[in-house]
Amino acid sequence: MKALVYHGPGQKSLDDCPKPAIQAVTDAIVRITRTTICGTDLHILKGDVPTCAPGRILGHEGVGIVEEVGSAVSRYKPGDHVLISCITSCARCDYCRRGMYSHCRDGGWILGNVIDGTQAEFVRIPHADNSLHPIPAGADEEALVMLSDILPTGYECGVLNGKISPGSSVAIVGAGPIGLAALLTAQFYAPASIVMIDLDDNRLGVAQQFGATHVLNSGREDVAQKIRELTDGQGVDTAIEAVGVPATFELCEKLVAPGGVIANVGVHGTKVDLHLEDLWSRNVTITTRLVDTVTTPMLLKTVQSGRLQPAKLITHRFGLGEILQAYETFGHAADSHALKVVIEA
């Protein structure tokens, strides 16, 4: 089969690879119909994720059709259309019982990281009963690719950890797919204001279309001063970091109000300075999280009802044979205006 293989920092290629086979009775083999590229894949290619070794097939998002199941799989059968969770869960260990699927003792974020992933024609899914979701008949499967990772990530790591509430003020630093997913799902809680901050005017324009009350270009404006003006000098109740570089986290430290929350979502590959000399007396909470995908069933219902429309995030479409071009497009989003690219296998 064809698959996108990581060969070390800065190196990738579309290769012929063996088709995966059942290794455990709880496995399923899924034929990928659509997948996508995540910002985390770009972090891997930069060398920011040392757990991902050269030779790994990348990708942790997608939808597909069950091809084969192990003897202990009871929820799925060949021919079923499924949504693949970016997080693998055994549903039995102590972490899974606490809802922390991301730290499953026999799973977590392993797809496209420590086992082969979804940017391929086929993928092996461990603990299939708990790591796949059935796709309702008639659903827009292309749109549901957004439910593998970015929507639950933006919601769980940004909105829920950020404790957004009715009437609150929110700043989201980073208007990429994750930041926009946080913007879309933050509106479940009716905050009074959502300020989107980025360097890219195109993405800021998209953010306005998606419901941001204010947009600020951090390359041209004094964002901290603007936030003070918008909040009567207080800062925001919730600052969501959705990029994963030191400058954006430090900006969140400047934007948060006393008693507020900094919710980190970004994948950080280098150290970040924590300015406790400024924060120690301000009752600020800082949260970190790897997505658990416990909210995926709820988000699936909101998509089915039309309350959430993740298809808006899709800007480009490619075939699997064009995946290197897809990476080029996604990796140069400032020029291509890419948000999410969908790859049909």
Side-chain angles (χ1 to χ4, degrees), residues 15-26:
D15 296 346
D16 287 309
C17 299
K19 180 182 174 182
I22 297 288
Q23 295 182 20
V25 293
T26 52

Side-chain angles (χ1 to χ4, degrees), residues 156-165 237-240 261-263 287:
E156 294 175 14
C157 305
V159 176
L160 295 184
N161 267 18
K163 297 179 171 58
I164 293 173
S165 61
D237 299 310
T238 301
I240 296 175
V261 179
I262 299 172
T287 67

Side-chain angles (χ1 to χ4, degrees), residues 29 35 49 63 65 118 165 175 178 218-219 226 242 273 288 321:
I29 305 300
T35 184
V49 184
V63 297
I65 301 170
T118 58
S165 61
I178 291 291
S218 53
K226 289 286 187 180
D273 290 331
T288 66

Side-chain angles (χ1 to χ4, degrees), residues 98-328:
R98 291 159 56 190
M100 293 177 62
Y101 298 162
S102 60
H103 291 273
C104 173
R105 292 186 182 274
D106 192 37
W109 174 41
I110 57 176
L111 282 175
N113 179 14
V114 297
I115 69 170
D116 287 336
T118 58
Q119 291 171 11
E121 293 180 271
F122 296 90
V123 64
R124 180 179 69 89
I125 304 296
H127 302 297
D129 275 342
N130 309 298
S131 306
L132 298 172
H133 297 273
I135 293 179
D140 181 353
E141 296 193 12
E142 183 178 77
L144 293 187
V145 176
M146 306 302 111
L147 285 177
S148 283
D149 184 354
I150 64 165
L151 280 167
T153 295
Y155 182 58
E156 294 175 14
C157 305
V159 176
L160 295 184
N161 267 18
K163 297 179 171 58
I164 293 173
S165 61
S168 64
S169 56
V170 181
I172 302 173
V173 181
I178 291 291
L180 292 172
L183 168 63
L184 288 171
T185 54
Q187 293 170 70
F188 291 167
Y189 296 92
S193 63
I194 308 177
V195 184
M196 185 66 79
I197 300 160
D198 202 279
L199 293 166
D200 187 323
D201 284 330
N202 176 70
R203 288 188 166 185
L204 292 174
V206 173
Q208 282 189 305
Q209 296 173 26
F210 284 9
T213 57
H214 304 82
V215 296
L216 298 174
N217 187 309
S218 53
R220 294 196 304 267
E221 302 174 87
D222 184 339
V223 170
Q225 177 61 32
K226 289 286 187 180
I227 290 292
R228 286 192 292 270
E229 292 173 4
L230 291 170
T231 59
D232 295 325
Q234 296 301 302
V236 294
D237 299 310
T238 301
I240 296 175
E241 196 289 322
V243 182
V245 297
T248 51
F249 187 87
E250 292 184 45
L251 177 58
C252 287
E253 296 180 61
K254 296 176 183 177
L255 302 183
V256 68
V261 179
I262 299 172
N264 183 81
V265 186
V267 177
H268 290 270
T270 57
K271 76 176 186 68
V272 177
D273 290 331
L274 178 62
H275 291 282
L276 284 178
E277 73 276 14
D278 296 326
L279 298 176
W280 73 269
S281 63
R282 293 170 56 196
N283 294 44
V284 169
T285 299
I286 298 174
T287 67
T288 66
R289 185 172 182 177
L290 180 59
V291 64
D292 294 299
T293 66
V294 292
T295 63
T296 301
M298 179 278 289
L299 293 170
L300 184 55
K301 291 178 182 177
T302 64
V303 172
Q304 285 299 100
S305 70
R307 176 71 179 81
L308 193 61
Q309 299 178 327
K312 291 180 178 180
L313 294 164
I314 301 168
T315 55
H316 295 74
R317 294 167 178 83
F318 298 90
L320 182 60
E322 303 169 303
I323 195 168
L324 295 177
Q325 181 185 344
Y327 263 92
E328 190 72 15

